[in-house]
Amino acid sequence: MKHLRCRLTWLYTITASVILTLALTVLFLFQMRQTRQAQLDDFYQLWNSLCFRLQSDTVISHSYLSRTEARNQLLIHIEENGIPFFFSGSWTPPTDRKILIDTAKKLAEKQGVFTNVSPISSSSATSSLMHITGQSKDQYYARILVLAKKNGPQSLCVIYYRPSILKSLKKIIWGLGVVDLTGILCLAFVSWHFVGWSLIPVEENQRKQAEFIAAASHELRSPLAVLRSGISVILSAPQEKEVLMASMDSEFARLSSLIDDLLLLAAADAKTWQLHLEEADMDTLLIETYESFLPLCRQKQISLHLQLPSSPLPVLSVDPQRIRQILTILTDNALSYTPAGKSIHICAFFTSKALTLQVKDEGCGIPDNLKPFIFDRFYRADPSRSDKSHFGLGLSIARELTILHHAALTLSDNPKGGSVFSLTLPL
């Protein structure tokens, strides 16, 4: 179980961690896209502002250009009649300024925009968005505007430095990494405890299975030992044959009964136990159960009483043979634990929703701490009893049959002493 718990913990942790990492990766890629779009929006905003300033103002100061460049990491290059405006720039980009401007001009010329030639068909010519890669793999956006002036062409070249997305999102990357690592550790912790909690029923079933096999082996060993001993005696002393045959036949019957019970429980576990439902007269079932146990109760000097309501019991769609089997198990169990001189009551009553059948005994009763185990297989409330006719499987079979009928089988105390088993069947 420990090895299984470790393997399942690793499986759950790895699966959930992959999902978490993929989710964070998608979030990071979305953030990269948003950052890139923000850079592009900033460039267009600055470009439009500079174009408007160039077209509307007759004078552009050095201080304005320096401020704009330094604040936004731009390269602003203005020419008149092919002569550059006297402005050396306010910051140093990773790639030489002149190389970037020349590259932008060449790209614009491929689009038909020349900085030293006035536009012919209109008053201005504008290049489309250009992408420039510098000598250090640095990235830039660029556009060129050429205006037709009286004194000749006037051009504006704007180059926008795009810092690396990974560098821009460095803090976010570290944050997502910490979140991912913390999430994986939390998932491992939760998975370990969740798997442990999930395996509790498996461990319990494994324990019960081991106990069941041990108990079944013990119960099978006893009649087999008697049979083997009887055969040995018959072989060594044939004259004792008649006496031993009766004992061996009793053990054969006991062994056959145990095997039948085990097969019934195995069928219940395999979900192959089927009911044969039909309309059943519950009064008749109770009367037949009462009459079958009456001689045995008289033999043991136990009073058996049948208490039915004045009105007939409702007819139910059940398996009559299985309901009779449940009543037989409950009555036989009451008979085994009720001393001479006491009473057993078989009762029935119904409401608008359910029919309840009860078997009440006046035996020793069952302590509260043992009641949760009373329906377990091979369990005996009094393990010191020497009665070999019971294996501790009857109540287990009764419970399985009750579950098949979607009914309820409960145990309570009898105020007069003893126990009350109640079978509640839905109408």
Side-chain angles (χ1 to χ4, degrees), residues 5-305:
R5 185 178 183 182
C6 292
R7 293 181 64 185
L8 288 177
T9 299
W10 274 111
L11 176 62
Y12 293 156
T13 302
I14 291 174
T15 303
S17 298
V18 169
I19 295 173
L20 175 62
T21 303
L22 288 176
L24 293 177
T25 302
V26 171
L27 177 62
F28 175 70
L29 293 176
F30 177 77
Q31 187 62 42
M32 286 183 62
R33 182 179 178 183
Q34 292 293 101
T35 303
R36 188 175 292 112
Q37 185 62 42
Q39 290 178 347
L40 185 59
D41 292 341
D42 289 344
F43 170 71
Y44 275 119
Q45 184 178 1
L46 293 167
W47 165 258
N48 292 330
S49 176
L50 288 169
C51 289
F52 176 78
R53 190 71 175 263
L54 182 65
Q55 295 178 49
S56 61
D57 295 353
T58 56
V59 178
I60 298 179
S61 65
H62 282 74
S63 60
Y64 168 75
L65 294 177
S66 298
R67 250 189 345 265
T68 305
E69 274 204 358
R71 185 184 304 161
N72 302 288
Q73 292 190 305
L74 290 174
L75 279 74
I76 303 174
H77 181 74
I78 301 174
E79 292 183 359
E80 288 186 0
N81 291 320
I83 301 173
F85 188 65
F86 183 71
F87 176 68
S88 60
S90 61
W91 71 289
T92 303
T95 299
D96 185 73
R97 185 183 187 93
K98 186 176 183 305
I99 293 177
L100 294 174
I101 293 172
D102 290 342
T103 302
K105 287 181 177 181
K106 291 178 181 178
L107 293 175
E109 289 175 359
K110 292 181 179 180
Q111 300 178 19
V113 178
F114 299 89
T115 58
N116 56 356
V117 178
S118 297
I120 299 174
S121 59
S122 62
S123 61
S124 65
T126 307
S127 70
S128 60
L129 181 67
M130 298 179 290
H131 298 267
I132 299 176
T133 302
Q135 295 175 325
S136 303
K137 304 298 181 181
D138 40 321
Q139 301 292 322
Y140 302 86
Y141 289 134
R143 288 194 76 176
I144 290 179
L145 169 68
V146 180
L147 300 174
K149 297 287 186 176
K150 293 180 179 180
N151 299 328
Q154 186 180 48
S155 64
L156 169 67
C157 175
V158 179
I159 301 176
Y160 176 82
Y161 174 62
R162 295 167 48 197
S164 172
I165 297 292
L166 296 180
K167 290 182 179 179
S168 302
L169 301 178
K170 186 175 182 180
K171 291 183 178 180
I172 294 179
I173 294 173
W174 277 103
L176 292 178
V178 170
V179 170
D180 194 23
L181 181 59
T182 304
I184 291 173
L185 294 176
C186 292
L187 286 170
F189 177 79
V190 172
S191 297
W192 174 260
H193 289 279
F194 177 76
V195 170
W197 174 75
S198 301
L199 289 179
I200 289 177
V202 179
E203 293 177 344
E204 182 67 17
N205 288 336
Q206 190 179 47
R207 182 187 64 80
K208 288 185 176 181
Q209 183 180 13
E211 293 177 353
F212 177 80
I213 293 173
S217 302
H218 175 75
E219 295 292 346
L220 288 169
R221 187 185 297 114
S222 298
L224 289 175
V226 174
L227 292 173
R228 185 175 183 182
S229 175
I231 293 174
S232 299
V233 173
I234 291 175
L235 292 176
S236 59
Q239 65 276 11
E240 302 291 335
K241 177 180 178 180
E242 296 299 329
V243 177
L244 293 173
M245 288 299 291
S247 175
M248 292 175 63
D249 183 66
S250 175
E251 292 299 325
F252 271 121
R254 181 169 177 264
L255 184 60
S256 177
S257 176
L258 174 59
I259 292 174
D260 288 341
D261 290 345
L262 292 174
L263 289 175
L264 287 175
L265 291 173
D269 291 339
K271 308 299 181 184
T272 58
W273 212 349
Q274 296 182 351
L275 297 178
H276 301 284
L277 300 179
E278 60 182 76
E279 299 293 326
D281 185 348
M282 304 308 294
D283 291 279
T284 302
L285 284 177
L286 291 171
I287 292 172
E288 290 176 350
T289 303
Y290 168 77
E291 291 177 346
S292 63
F293 277 92
L294 188 59
L296 189 57
C297 287
R298 288 175 177 173
Q299 181 182 347
K300 292 189 174 184
Q301 300 179 352
I302 297 174
S303 299
L304 181 62
H305 303 276

Side-chain angles (χ1 to χ4, degrees), residues 330-342:
L330 297 180
T331 307
D332 184 58
N333 188 72
L335 188 61
S336 300
Y337 287 91
T338 302
K342 297 292 185 177

